[in-house]
Amino acid sequence: MDWAQAEHALGTALPTDYQQLVETYGDGVFDETIWLPVPDSAYDDCDLHAQTTERNETLTDL
């Protein structure tokens, strides 16, 4: 994972412990409860970039 590129695309730093979690477990849904989105996920629901954009648009509309 190119964390510098991901942080640049998101416009924010990502915590080191988050990066370690992603490196250890990858993306996905754990126990149908905990969602771990990551930059450039193969799954739309777990793609951090796509989810950030979608949620920002939703918040703007509110």
Side-chain angles (χ1 to χ4, degrees):
M1 172 76 58
D2 184 343
W3 291 109
Q5 181 180 359
E7 291 173 332
H8 178 74
L10 290 167
T12 190
L14 296 169
T16 303
D17 57 348
Y18 165 78
Q19 294 177 27
Q20 292 170 340
L21 185 66
V22 169
E23 295 291 337
T24 301
Y25 295 104
D27 56 349
V29 180
F30 302 90
D31 196 29
E32 298 180 20
T33 305
I34 300 171
W35 290 72
L36 182 58
V38 302
D40 301 320
S41 172
Y43 309 102
D44 288 338
D45 289 342
C46 291
D47 186 308
L48 186 59
H49 294 116
Q51 291 301 314
T52 299
T53 300
E54 181 180 321
R55 290 174 183 166
N56 284 342
E57 289 172 358
T58 299
L59 290 172
T60 298
D61 290 343
L62 293 174

